[in-house]
Amino acid sequence: MINIELYRKRLLDLEKQLAEHSDRELEDGRGELIDTPHDSGDASVSDVAVDSHFTEAELDSIILQQVRDALRRIDDGTFGRCLVDGGPIEPRRLEAIPWAAYCLKHQALLEAAGREKTWTL
Ligand SMILES: [Zn+2]
């Protein structure tokens, strides 16, 4: 039996962290865009820095979406169950990835099909 309230708290904490981090990354990215001097030979270096901020923000927003989906499943009463077959997600997997939406078997199948990527922190 999994402790739903414990997972709810962990997911809410994660949601808060990711939302804050994502905002900060986007702000850093915007700041560098504005600060980039147009006549500088460093422009390409700045572009790379901007890109990495946005990529990290994108990654955060993907996980944030999955965390929010997991919170919704807690409300629905389907948290901890695989989205494909409704079977229980392995407790050790949930422990490592509280927003996991698939059991190991179906996660592996989805990854093999290339439709779903796993993001781990
Ligand atoms: Zn499954």
Side-chain angles (χ1 to χ4, degrees):
M1 190 62 196
I2 55 172
N3 186 339
I4 293 282
E5 287 312 313
L6 195 70
Y7 279 106
R8 189 199 298 273
K9 192 182 176 306
R10 276 182 69 184
L11 286 163
L12 285 170
D13 284 350
L14 262 172
E15 184 192 24
K16 193 161 161 275
Q17 275 174 29
L18 286 167
E20 282 172 4
H21 187 228
S22 179
D23 283 352
R24 203 159 51 232
E25 288 294 332
L26 283 174
E27 250 162 53
D28 285 354
R30 274 196 294 269
E32 282 171 35
L33 272 178
I34 293 159
D35 291 343
T36 303
H38 291 293
D39 57 348
S40 163
D42 293 340
S44 61
V45 175
S46 294
D47 286 349
V48 170
V50 169
D51 279 352
S52 80
H53 281 302
F54 281 116
T55 304
E56 215 176 308
E58 272 173 53
L59 185 61
D60 283 349
S61 75
I62 289 166
I63 297 175
L64 184 58
Q65 188 55 54
Q66 296 187 0
V67 166
R68 283 176 174 158
D69 286 348
L71 282 165
R72 206 164 48 235
R73 288 197 299 277
I74 287 180
D75 290 335
D76 290 350
T78 58
F79 179 79
R81 299 201 165 270
C82 174
L83 285 186
V84 176
D85 60 4
I89 296 171
E90 293 77 5
R92 274 169 61 194
R93 179 168 159 73
L94 269 184
E95 182 65 35
I97 313 170
W99 60 88
Y102 303 101
C103 68
L104 271 179
K105 186 179 81 178
H106 287 116
Q107 182 70 47
L109 284 174
L110 286 165
E111 275 173 21
R115 281 188 288 136
E116 187 84 9
K117 286 201 171 82
T118 316
W119 303 105
T120 49
L121 290 175

